[in-house]
Structure formats: C-alpha cells, structure tokens
Amino acid sequence: AKNGTGKTTLLNILAGKEPYDSGSVVFRRDLKIAYLEQDPQYPENLTVLEACFQSGNEITNLIAEYERVMASDDHSNLDNILQQMDMLKAWDYEQRAKQILSQLKIRNFDQKISELSGGQLKRVALANVLITEPELIILDGPTNHLDLDMTEWLEEYLQRARLSLLMVTHDRYFLDRVCNEIIEFDQRSLYLYYGNYSYYLEKSQERVDAQKSEINRVNNLLRKELEWLRRKLK
C-alpha cells in the first residue's frame, strides 16, 4: 500500500508499541517475538555493543536483573535467575551479538551510535533482532538502508532459519525470495494467497477480474429487468 495508509501503525499495534481502539492482540503463550522497526533509534552516546544490551528483550532484561541482584545484598532470587540464564543461553549473549554484528559487517563494537550511517544503524538493529533467536520476527521495511550484499545475506538467513515472519516492505524482489504467504487488505476485507509476491499479483488480478465480471453480470441482469418493466408499463 502507499505511504501513510497505516502499515507501520498496524505493526506497532501488533508489537505492543501503540494502543488500539478495540479488539485484542493474542499470541501463543511463551512465543519469542522480535520487532525490527522501520527507523530504529538508540541513545547516541551508546557504543554498538552497548546498544545490543539496550533493546529491552527478554534476555537483556534478565541480564540486567542478574547484574542488579549481584550488586545487591539480597540474593534470595539468584537461583531462579541463574536457571533462567541457563535456559535462555544468556551467558552467550555477548558472543552471539559480536558474531552476528561481524556477519553484518559491523566490526568496531566500541563505535558510538552517533557515528553510524543509516545503513549501519539498521544493521545494528537487525543484529539486535536476530541475537535473541526469535520464533516470530515482525519486520518493517527490512531492506531499507541495506545494500545489495546485506540484503542477500538477510534473504539467505531468513530462508534457512526456522522462524515465522510478518513484514511490510516495498521491495518486491525481497518478497519474492523470502515470502510464501501474502495477506492482502482490500476494501475492509482480507485475502490470503499461498505463494510469493509474483503469485499474489497474478491471483489478486484474477480475483479482481472475477469480481468485475460478476458486477457486470449483475448490472446486465438489472438492465434487462428494468427494460422488461418499462415495456410492461407502456
């Protein structure tokens, strides 16, 4: 859809970042979700690596809680935190962050966020999403600011990863290579197509043509009935 029609608002609602007027958003219990925003923002004074600990995901929140408990005199909940750290592989978080950042060609982990280009900042945000190994990733403009090499890397990563994607993008080639289901909202109705974007274009046009054909058929019947009535009234 065109800019300004509410695509980002919809994703923000699903990700819990914006309120909504009515209804409910329900995910499977314990589903691990990550959200790549269209224009990610981080405090400019942070380093690249520090930004990876500021995303507010389940693991970084747990690491922060572990550090808080270790710095306090109250260790009553430490055993529970340690179990969660083991379960979520939180001990390896920094190493995973450095590994994915390196794959995304971000190798100066001490560089300030304020010094990054738009493309570099998007790659840091992308690393933040992938580090947590989510089961569902919500992506808003995933290839915005990414060059061809990084776009191809992301395509390959998403194709081999065992996860689900929900995304909005204007990059039809990315959609063709990565997606296997397309959801279309049209005139307050929802249509689901099992295929990539090229398949969607073909089948959507067939649907529209069929609707037009049905409308024309009904209009022709109405015209015939009106003509019959006019003749009867003469």
Side-chain angles (χ1 to χ4, degrees):
K2 296 179 181 178
N3 290 333
T5 55
K7 301 185 299 297
T8 293
T9 299
L10 174 62
L11 296 189
N12 283 340
I13 288 172
L14 294 175
K17 291 184 174 292
E18 286 194 36
Y20 45 94
D21 298 328
S22 63
S24 58
V25 178
V26 181
F27 292 104
R28 192 196 74 207
R29 191 175 183 181
D30 299 326
L31 182 69
K32 292 173 66 177
I33 304 170
Y35 181 28
L36 178 65
E37 298 183 63
Q38 187 172 24
D39 295 304
Q41 303 291 328
Y42 298 98
E44 293 188 347
N45 62 314
L46 295 180
T47 66
V48 166
L49 190 58
E50 287 171 342
C52 291
F53 285 83
Q54 293 288 318
S55 57
N57 61 58
E58 184 181 17
I59 297 178
T60 57
N61 290 340
L62 181 62
I63 292 171
E65 178 64 13
Y66 168 77
E67 292 176 346
R68 186 194 65 78
V69 169
M70 292 302 295
S72 71
D73 295 328
D74 181 9
H75 292 177
S76 58
N77 195 38
L78 183 59
D79 287 343
N80 180 48
I81 292 174
L82 291 175
Q83 288 179 5
Q84 292 183 63
M85 294 276 285
D86 289 336
M87 183 178 65
L88 295 176
K89 305 176 188 175
W91 307 109
D92 303 327
Y93 189 84
E94 181 175 336
Q95 187 59 38
R96 293 206 308 274
K98 290 179 177 179
Q99 182 181 28
I100 292 179
L101 284 167
S102 296
Q103 290 174 347
L104 291 167
K105 298 182 180 178
I106 301 289
R107 298 185 177 90
N108 185 356
F109 308 132
D110 295 322
Q111 187 175 9
K112 295 291 185 181
I113 290 294
S114 59
E115 300 171 357
L116 300 181
S117 67
Q120 289 173 320
L121 184 60
K122 191 65 177 271
R123 279 181 270 157
V124 170
L126 180 58
N128 259 316
V129 165
L130 301 180
I131 293 163
T132 58
E133 299 177 349
E135 298 163 287
L136 169 65
I137 301 181
I138 301 174
L139 303 168
D140 191 2
T143 60
N144 293 1
H145 306 299
L146 295 185
D147 60 24
L148 181 60
D149 286 345
M150 287 296 93
T151 298
E152 290 178 347
W153 181 91
L154 180 58
E155 287 173 0
E156 292 174 2
Y157 183 94
L158 295 176
Q159 286 169 351
R160 67 175 183 266
R162 293 180 58 83
L163 49 80
S164 297
L165 304 173
L166 176 61
M167 67 175 165
V168 169
T169 177
H170 292 291
D171 188 341
R172 64 163 296 171
Y173 301 104
F174 186 77
L175 283 171
D176 264 344
R177 295 185 180 100
V178 174
C179 290
N180 54 18
E181 292 183 19
I182 303 289
I183 299 172
E184 178 186 17
F185 293 102
D186 183 29
Q187 301 298 317
R188 295 178 175 266
S189 294
L190 184 148
Y191 303 93
L192 181 60
Y193 302 86
Y194 292 98
N196 62 13
Y197 188 70
S198 295
Y199 176 86
Y200 151 72
L201 288 177
E202 177 186 347
K203 295 303 178 182
S204 178
Q205 189 59 52
E206 289 179 5
R207 176 184 65 79
V208 171
D209 291 343
Q211 287 178 341
K212 287 180 179 178
S213 178
E214 178 63 17
I215 291 171
N216 289 335
R217 187 185 69 82
V218 171
N219 286 339
N220 287 334
L221 285 174
L222 287 173
R223 279 195 295 269
K224 289 178 180 179
E225 289 180 2
L226 288 172
E227 181 63 27
W228 181 80
L229 284 172
R230 276 196 292 267
R231 289 176 181 175
K232 292 288 286 185
L233 292 172
K234 284 183 179 179

